[in-house]
Amino acid sequence: MPSHPHIATSEWTLDYPPFFAWFEYILSHVAKYFDQEMLNVHNLNYSSSRTLLFQRFSVIFMDVLFVYAVRECCKCIDGKKVGKELTEKPKFILSVLLLWNFGLLIVDHIHFQYNGFLFGLMLLSIARLFQKRHMEGAFLFAVLLHFKHIYLYVAPAYGVYLLRSYCFTANKPDGSIRWKSFSFVRLISLGLVVFLVSALSLGPFLALNQLPQVFSRLFPFKRGLCHAYWAPNFWALYNALDKVLSVIGLKLKFLDPNNIPKASMTSGLVQQFQHTVLPSVTPLATLICTLIAILPSIFCLWFKPQGPRGFLRCLTLCALSSFMFGWHVHEKAILLAILPMSLLSVGKAGDASIFLILTTTGHYSLFPLLFTAPGLPIKILLMLLFTIYSISSLKTLFRRSFTLVAQAGVQWHDLS
Amino acid sequence: MEKWYLMTVVVLIGLTVRWTVSLNSYSGAGKPPMFGDYEAQRHWQEITFNLPVKQWYFNSSDNNLQYWGLDYPPPTAYHSLLCAYVAKFINPDWIALHTSRGYESQAHKLFMRTTVLIADLLIYIPAVVLYCCCLKEISTKKKIANALCILLYPGLILIDYGHFQYNSVSLGFALWGVLGISCDCDLLGSLAFCLAINYKQMELYHALPFFCFLLGKCFKKGLKGKGFVLLVKLACIVVASFVLCWLPFFTEREQTLQVLRRLFPVDRGLFEDKVANIWCSFNVFLKIKDILPRHIQLIMSFCFTFLSLLPACIKLILQPSSKGFKFTLVSCALSFFLFSFQVHEKSILLVSLPVCLVLSEIPFMSTWFLLVSTFSMLPLLLKDELLMPSVVTTMAFFIACVTSFSIFEKTSEEELQLKSFSISVRKYLPCFTFLSRIIQYLFLISVITMVLLTLMTVTLGPPQKLPDLFSVLVCFVSCLNFLFFLVYFNIIIVWDSKSGRNQKKIS
């Protein structure tokens, strides 16, 4: 077991943090009741109907956590001003938007991953922050980070929010920071929680002196700027522009054909690549771009905190910015922005329209994940289902508020 | 209608469930030499494409009738021909004469499943949506919920998209017929129903109620005036549609006779395999199939069938009403299923369709019936390895019905439409007040038995001496349930008029 990160026996080696490894370990113990063969390390690409059954059921089983988290989130919504019919209540609409989220269904249950319960953890930590149970929220997020480190995308939002709204216990009347209300106790307790969780996760590997290996598996910067299938982010446009310019340059004889590297970015391989016309992009450059992109929302969160709702906006923006400018982003990462945005969409009409654009395009960008012929009707049907439902239900929810003054609609439950 | 978007969502859900079921195995997958219904449909495409019309129903060196010979009326053959043209365009190997026998591939499966989906989308689903929209005295939400439950009915989905058949075409046409006649478009309705009969001859189970209802309407309009005109018009439509469908086969007498021989195989016996009807269940105790000679069996089943459906049909002629028509469809089809000759277990779908139509009127009993009908096909579904889709679709259907109609709150006598019946009985037995309670207990027993039998069939192997034990038990239990439903539906029909007359007297 301890030597797992070392083994490079196949292309699908472990590249998630230790908690996920422990989770798979527990699964393997259940798996042996289904089919012993799938546990053989050298049995690559093994699949039998029992294996399939077990894998699929394990995803469905873990989704129970996701359902619980959705329930907690729905509790945070207060729908006083809407009609009595069940299907028009914001709680109902939100639960359908989250539980039937096309992206999650496709990625988890067809393409196959375990994002359901991970998003459940994230939604649960958000719900806890709304319910002013900050320690729990922080703990859940720390655990989540050690399950899948992609959630680092939204870590700045958590950090700044907890620092600003939890460690500083009170604000001045105009909403700006009151330095004297800083609570060391809270800061220390938060730090302790994060430290303990990290120790639990990375401790064993630190003791075995394997930390560098773990980090190199978690952050594979050698994998190249873009994934094998490009995530629809800024660097995809950048690459496309580079390609177009190089073609034009070749035609107009500005470039020497011998200088152009042979490897192609669109070959579907995961590797490092140099750009021909535009300057090459390093991981540091992407980090700087991402930081610049999230700065405005972080500043807002620090200087003008608007409670949990402001935190949620900042979180969504962090996720989106990291998606747009990150290094080696997977197209599935768009879900990180879509799911929290769903929570905002049943709050205000403006958020709803942004959500609809984001979700429709985001989900459409996931289409290439299902490339088999039988998968085509499924993805079209599910996409139509979700899109039609989301547009029509949100439209029905907010049709009254279009006639009222701006801030009408559903208010978030403010427990303070 | 408002909330059209919810109806679209419901249809999309129905389509998604259908397509996901179709990803499973089909009848006879990987089982040479005979394979199953899937291979039969492919074979018919091969026959109709490669051979001239005159040879479709005849035994010849090119067309071996023992290997899935055509046994449906000509329009099925025309439909197969149409599919064959598309198949030729995509991959001629699929329908090459002789060499394509037992052809199986992922691409071919995709093609065949798509043909079912398209037929469903064009004929059955619009009929269901239109039917639910035309329901009277129901809120829009209930109409949409009704459509959802009908579209989620597991039996039809599993047989059409799992086992592989085209029932949605004939049932869809029958539904258009019901729709037309209920909305007073009698001519179009009859035309649609004639198409249904000509697609699958089993639709004859529904023929009597159609005939009685239309006859009743003619009588009501007066046989010396408009009624007679209507009767003549209907007769013309029926004859014309039959002639059109059978045109190539009316040229020679031998052609027509041979087709009829293929459609009605009277020498195949009282029943085949295990089916949840009276004869098969009776056969467990007394082997009537072997004891009685063939013609006696025919006469016996004929008599029983007609005796059991006579009350409802006479009632329909005398008092034609839309509601009575639907209930008579149920009881007639059920009588045929239980007592008729050479019934297949899939024929329960012919009863399920009318029951789906009365889902909004008696949700509790209809849901119960539809669950039992799916259960009765369990041996067939297990043979096709469709256990998981059956369980999942049945659960989804049950949950949809429970939430849409709150069926467990609608078990009072009035909700079950048994009020007039129990009032009549109470005249003789004053203590007869526990009818709804009995029915609730029966439901519980029925469901528990079905679940237990399913678990036993799946987990335990049958004992050596009785290899068919579980199939027979399933059929027997289903048969008992169906007998109960037959009595129930007949009570509703017969006692319906009395309450109507009493109310008129009072007002």
Side-chain angles (χ1 to χ4, degrees):
Chain A
M1 255 305 299
S3 57
H4 260 202
H6 267 301
I7 300 176
T9 42
S10 83
E11 52 201 277
W12 306 116
T13 44
L14 207 60
D15 49 2
Y16 286 152
F19 275 179
F20 202 82
W22 289 114
F23 166 66
E24 295 276 7
Y25 178 66
I26 296 174
L27 271 184
S28 70
H29 278 281
V30 181
K32 67 178 182 221
Y33 294 112
F34 279 77
D35 192 347
Q36 277 280 19
E37 291 299 307
M38 72 169 136
L39 298 175
N40 192 339
V41 176
H42 299 289
N43 245 344
L44 296 178
N45 291 330
Y46 175 77
S47 88
S48 73
S49 60
R50 303 199 83 181
T51 316
L52 216 61
L53 206 68
F54 169 70
Q55 301 270 58
R56 298 264 186 231
F57 267 119
S58 62
V59 181
I60 296 174
F61 180 70
M62 294 312 294
D63 268 357
V64 167
L65 184 58
F66 182 66
V67 173
Y68 174 68
V70 169
R71 191 165 149 261
E72 290 291 308
C73 282
C74 290
K75 273 197 224 167
C76 300
I77 308 179
D78 183 32
K80 281 182 198 150
K81 291 183 187 173
V82 288
K84 290 178 189 160
E85 219 187 285
L86 175 68
T87 54
E88 284 194 1
K89 287 210 167 89
K91 288 191 208 238
F92 179 78
I93 296 178
L94 177 65
S95 49
V96 174
L97 288 178
L98 284 173
L99 289 171
W100 280 78
N101 188 298
F102 168 79
L104 204 55
L105 275 175
I106 293 266
V107 170
D108 260 17
H109 297 277
I110 302 183
H111 183 77
F112 198 80
Q113 279 199 336
Y114 286 97
N115 291 309
F117 85 97
L118 294 174
F119 278 114
L121 277 175
M122 186 171 94
L123 288 175
L124 199 56
S125 75
I126 294 175
R128 292 287 176 252
L129 290 179
F130 267 90
Q131 292 162 355
K132 302 267 194 265
R133 287 148 77 166
H134 295 100
M135 291 295 288
E136 287 182 42
F139 170 70
L140 285 166
F141 184 68
V143 169
L144 179 64
L145 266 185
H146 286 277
F147 263 110
K148 203 168 182 182
H149 52 298
I150 202 176
Y151 293 92
L152 272 175
Y153 285 3
V154 299
Y158 270 89
V160 172
Y161 174 70
L162 283 170
L163 195 60
R164 174 70 178 83
S165 302
Y166 182 60
C167 296
F168 289 95
T169 46
N171 291 332
K172 287 190 190 152
D174 63 352
S176 64
I177 200 164
R178 183 179 288 200
W179 294 96
K180 287 189 188 158
S181 67
F182 185 73
S183 157
F184 255 118
V185 177
R186 288 190 171 184
L187 181 66
I188 300 277
S189 49
L190 275 178
L192 207 63
V193 162
V194 174
F195 176 73
L196 280 174
V197 172
S198 310
L200 191 63
S201 139
L202 297 170
F205 297 97
L206 190 66
L208 290 164
N209 280 330
Q210 287 179 357
L211 222 47
Q213 171 72 358
V214 173
F215 279 125
S216 78
R217 295 292 318 156
L218 290 184
F219 301 101
F221 285 111
K222 295 211 173 74
R223 278 202 187 164
L225 179 61
C226 289
H227 190 49
Y229 171 69
W230 296 357
N233 66 359
F234 177 76
W235 304 122
L237 290 175
Y238 191 83
N239 289 342
L241 185 63
D242 184 65
K243 198 98 188 154
V244 163
L245 286 177
S246 69
V247 166
I248 294 177
L250 276 175
K251 284 259 165 77
L252 298 176
K253 308 259 193 280
F254 282 143
L255 297 170
D256 183 7
N258 296 326
N259 283 344
I260 296 184
K262 295 293 176 195
S264 154
M265 269 208 165
T266 49
S267 66
L269 298 172
V270 173
Q271 59 188 296
Q272 284 201 303
F273 180 67
Q274 304 289 334
H275 288 97
T276 41
V277 177
L278 300 169
S280 285
V281 181
T282 61
L284 190 62
T286 61
L287 184 64
I288 294 175
C289 287
T290 315
L291 282 174
I292 296 176
I294 67 176
L295 266 177
S297 42
I298 296 283
F299 274 2
C300 272
L301 193 60
W302 179 266
F303 290 115
K304 285 189 202 165
Q306 286 167 348
R309 212 173 61 203
F311 157 69
L312 198 52
R313 280 183 207 286
C314 181
L315 188 144
T316 317
L317 277 168
C318 282
L320 266 175
S321 315
S322 307
F323 180 82
M324 283 309 281
F325 295 105
W327 177 270
H328 201 81
V329 173
H330 291 241
E331 69 276 349
K332 303 184 213 91
I334 194 66
L335 288 176
L336 226 76
I338 292 179
L339 285 174
M341 190 75 204
S342 320
L343 293 169
L344 286 170
S345 69
V346 293
K348 265 169 46 173
D351 289 337
S353 32
I354 296 177
F355 168 72
L356 286 174
I357 300 174
L358 177 66
T359 196
T360 314
T361 46
H363 286 160
Y364 181 64
S365 74
L366 292 172
F367 261 33
L369 278 177
L370 288 190
F371 46 81
T372 58
L376 181 67
I378 292 201
K379 64 187 182 192
I380 294 180
L381 285 170
L382 284 176
M383 175 84 184
L384 276 174
L385 246 176
F386 186 79
T387 315
I388 291 180
Y389 179 78
S390 53
I391 295 178
S392 42
S393 59
L394 287 175
K395 212 166 148 189
T396 319
L397 183 62
F398 290 115
R399 66 166 174 244
R400 284 179 218 129
S401 73
F402 285 132
T403 61
L404 297 171
V405 187
Q407 291 293 320
V410 174
Q411 297 298 315
W412 281 97
H413 213 24
D414 191 359
L415 284 167
S416 65
Chain B
M1 53 165 257
E2 66 209 46
K3 302 212 178 157
W4 60 268
Y5 64 88
L6 272 179
M7 190 60 103
T8 321
V9 167
V10 161
V11 169
L12 285 172
I13 292 178
L15 287 173
T16 313
V17 172
R18 280 160 165 75
W19 190 258
T20 39
V21 169
S22 78
L23 296 174
N24 285 287
S25 171
Y26 48 79
S27 133
K31 292 185 188 147
M34 282 303 278
F35 300 95
D37 270 341
Y38 177 88
E39 167 66 14
Q41 298 286 347
R42 189 214 57 75
H43 183 68
W44 293 344
Q45 290 172 15
E46 175 193 335
I47 292 292
T48 52
F49 186 78
N50 290 304
L51 298 178
V53 178
K54 302 237 180 285
Q55 289 184 26
W56 285 357
Y57 286 91
F58 280 95
N59 210 352
S60 69
S61 57
D62 286 332
N63 182 9
N64 180 8
L65 288 181
Q66 293 289 358
Y67 185 79
W68 301 116
L70 261 172
D71 48 7
Y72 286 135
T76 300
Y78 304 148
H79 182 211
S80 299
L81 185 59
L82 189 65
C83 295
Y85 274 114
V86 180
K88 170 89 190 300
F89 181 69
I90 304 175
N91 184 352
D93 286 337
W94 291 345
I95 46 162
L97 193 58
H98 297 310
T99 50
S100 61
R101 276 209 191 172
Y103 192 100
E104 287 183 286
S105 78
Q106 277 295 340
H108 185 234
K109 182 178 169 190
L110 196 61
F111 165 70
M112 296 291 270
R113 297 289 196 206
T114 314
T115 56
V116 180
L117 187 72
I118 292 178
D120 206 352
L121 200 54
L122 287 176
I123 302 176
Y124 181 68
I125 294 183
V128 171
V129 171
L130 206 57
Y131 176 79
C132 292
C133 293
C134 293
L135 282 173
K136 297 183 188 115
E137 294 163 31
I138 304 184
S139 70
T140 315
K141 265 200 72 195
K142 278 259 147 50
K143 288 184 191 176
I144 296 174
N146 205 0
L148 180 68
C149 292
I150 298 182
L151 285 178
L152 280 182
Y153 169 56
L156 186 57
I157 299 179
L158 289 166
I159 294 293
D160 268 16
Y161 291 87
H163 181 81
F164 201 90
Q165 278 205 332
Y166 289 101
N167 289 306
S168 51
V169 177
S170 57
L171 290 176
F173 277 132
L175 188 48
W176 280 112
V178 171
L179 205 55
I181 291 184
S182 306
C183 298
D184 286 326
C185 303
D186 294 329
L187 297 175
L188 287 174
S190 330
L191 179 64
F193 184 65
C194 288
L195 281 171
I197 297 183
N198 279 313
Y199 192 86
K200 276 201 182 186
Q201 71 273 29
M202 271 80 86
E203 283 292 330
L204 281 170
Y205 286 16
H206 293 152
L208 261 176
F210 271 87
F211 175 72
C212 296
F213 186 48
L214 288 170
L215 198 62
K217 270 195 183 178
C218 294
F219 282 160
K220 225 175 167 182
K221 290 193 176 167
L223 260 188
K224 297 212 172 153
K226 286 187 183 169
F228 187 68
V229 173
L230 183 61
L231 195 61
V232 169
K233 278 192 202 171
L234 288 170
C236 289
I237 290 261
V238 170
V239 170
S241 57
F242 267 82
V243 166
L244 261 171
C245 291
W246 288 61
L247 202 57
F249 301 93
F250 275 155
T251 50
E252 289 168 10
R253 191 162 163 258
E254 187 52 37
Q255 281 279 344
T256 324
L257 281 177
Q258 174 68 359
V259 178
L260 284 171
R261 252 179 252 135
R262 291 294 305 163
L263 294 184
F264 301 104
V266 286
D267 33 306
R268 268 164 86 174
L270 198 53
F271 60 87
E272 219 170 72
D273 216 353
K274 306 284 172 292
V275 64
N277 78 353
I278 290 288
W279 308 127
C280 184
S281 309
F282 203 68
N283 207 46
V284 174
F285 306 112
L286 186 70
K287 302 269 179 248
I288 43 167
K289 198 174 168 187
D290 305 322
I291 296 176
L292 295 174
R294 202 45 64 77
H295 60 277
I296 299 278
Q297 292 175 7
L298 254 169
I299 295 173
M300 191 173 59
S301 71
F302 187 81
C303 290
F304 269 88
T305 315
F306 274 91
L307 278 174
S308 62
L309 53 82
L310 220 47
C313 288
I314 294 178
K315 173 83 188 299
L316 192 58
I317 298 181
L318 297 175
Q319 286 175 9
S321 72
S322 201
K323 181 178 161 191
F325 173 50
K326 286 186 269 194
F327 279 107
T328 314
L329 274 172
V330 178
S331 83
C332 255
L334 196 49
S335 304
F336 268 100
F337 179 82
L338 284 171
F339 298 109
S340 175
F341 202 79
Q342 186 65 217
V343 173
H344 292 262
E345 67 257 289
K346 298 189 245 9
S347 308
I348 196 65
L349 293 175
L350 289 159
V351 192
S352 302
L353 178 72
V355 173
C356 286
L357 300 183
V358 297
L359 198 55
S360 50
E361 301 193 34
I362 35 164
F364 177 70
M365 298 299 278
S366 310
T367 312
W368 183 3
F369 180 87
L370 293 170
L371 288 172
V372 176
S373 66
T374 313
F375 170 74
S376 71
M377 295 190 285
L378 186 69
L380 179 70
L381 297 170
L382 283 178
K383 206 162 46 160
D384 295 336
E385 291 165 37
L386 290 171
L387 176 66
M388 174 111 73
S390 329
V391 169
V392 173
T393 45
T394 311
M395 287 201 312
F397 171 73
F398 184 60
I399 294 174
C401 287
V402 167
T403 45
S404 312
F405 295 108
S406 323
I407 57 172
F408 293 119
E409 292 161 23
K410 295 194 179 159
T411 51
S412 69
E413 281 177 10
E414 198 172 308
E415 299 277 4
L416 294 174
Q417 312 225 353
L418 288 174
K419 196 161 183 123
S420 39
F421 169 69
S422 39
I423 290 177
S424 313
V425 174
R426 271 198 279 273
K427 284 185 197 156
Y428 305 101
L429 283 172
C431 54
F432 190 69
T433 50
F434 34 76
L435 188 57
S436 68
R437 185 135 305 183
I438 294 180
I439 290 185
Q440 285 171 19
Y441 283 140
L442 283 175
F443 172 74
L444 212 58
I445 296 174
S446 169
V447 168
I448 292 176
T449 323
M450 290 197 290
V451 171
L452 275 176
L453 264 178
T454 314
L455 281 170
M456 285 202 311
T457 321
V458 170
T459 49
L460 303 171
Q464 285 272 16
K465 288 187 186 168
L466 303 162
D468 291 325
L469 177 68
F470 290 125
S471 318
V472 172
L473 275 175
V474 166
C475 292
F476 192 68
V477 165
S478 314
C479 184
L480 286 175
N481 278 290
F482 291 147
L483 273 170
F484 167 71
F485 281 111
L486 184 67
V487 170
Y488 169 75
F489 280 112
N490 273 303
I491 289 177
I492 292 187
I493 296 170
V494 171
W495 257 268
D496 185 42
S497 67
K498 289 200 173 164
S499 76
R501 267 191 250 148
N502 285 341
Q503 276 177 358
K504 279 184 188 163
K505 275 186 191 168
I506 294 167
S507 61

